Amino acid sequence: MALHLGIFLIWAGACVFLQLDHVDGDNKCVFPFIYGGNQYFDCTKENSLWAWCSLTEIYSGIWRYCVDEDYAPCVFPFIYRGKTYNSCTTAGSLFWNYWCSITPNYDQHKAW
């Protein structure tokens, strides 16, 4: 029991120190969001061990951990190297893995 309490106190202290307001429940991730001057189209592990998302368009300290339903879906059609794709592709993949863009224009946003 003492170990659990200690871990909770460390977590709570980190949230207070970092001024993070973790929110659970029905709050939805907002994509894209801006954090630290960067735009995110999907959950991120930036400055965290676990994937998280902002609940506001411009990160204001209100966030939550991501669950499977939060990750951005593929967007079709999307543009990659000036060509339009209507399904996942192996183009540009070093190991022939299929991938897709999570924005309509990969060339512009580089989000996949």
Side-chain angles (χ1 to χ4, degrees):
M1 183 65 171
L3 177 61
H4 292 287
L5 178 61
I7 291 171
F8 171 76
L9 292 175
I10 290 170
W11 174 82
C15 288
V16 169
F17 176 74
L18 297 173
Q19 297 180 351
L20 300 175
D21 187 12
H22 175 254
V23 178
D24 282 321
D26 294 334
N27 295 304
K28 300 288 183 193
C29 296
V30 174
F31 297 115
F33 66 89
I34 296 175
Y35 171 70
N38 296 314
Q39 189 172 35
Y40 294 87
F41 293 90
D42 203 358
C43 296
T44 182
K45 287 187 176 181
E46 188 73 28
N47 296 324
S48 176
L49 294 176
W50 296 277
W52 63 276
C53 64
S54 177
L55 302 181
T56 56
E57 289 182 26
I58 298 175
Y59 176 76
S60 62
I62 302 172
W63 64 280
R64 70 179 185 81
Y65 291 116
C66 292
V67 296
D68 289 341
E69 294 80 26
D70 293 323
Y71 289 93
C74 294
V75 172
F76 299 111
F78 67 89
I79 297 170
Y80 173 64
R81 293 186 177 170
K83 182 178 175 185
T84 300
Y85 291 85
N86 292 302
S87 62
C88 294
T89 181
T90 59
S93 174
L94 292 176
F95 300 106
W96 298 97
N97 291 328
Y98 281 91
W99 68 277
C100 66
S101 178
I102 57 174
T103 70
N105 191 331
Y106 175 86
D107 294 344
Q108 181 180 2
H109 298 112
K110 307 289 189 233
W112 61 282

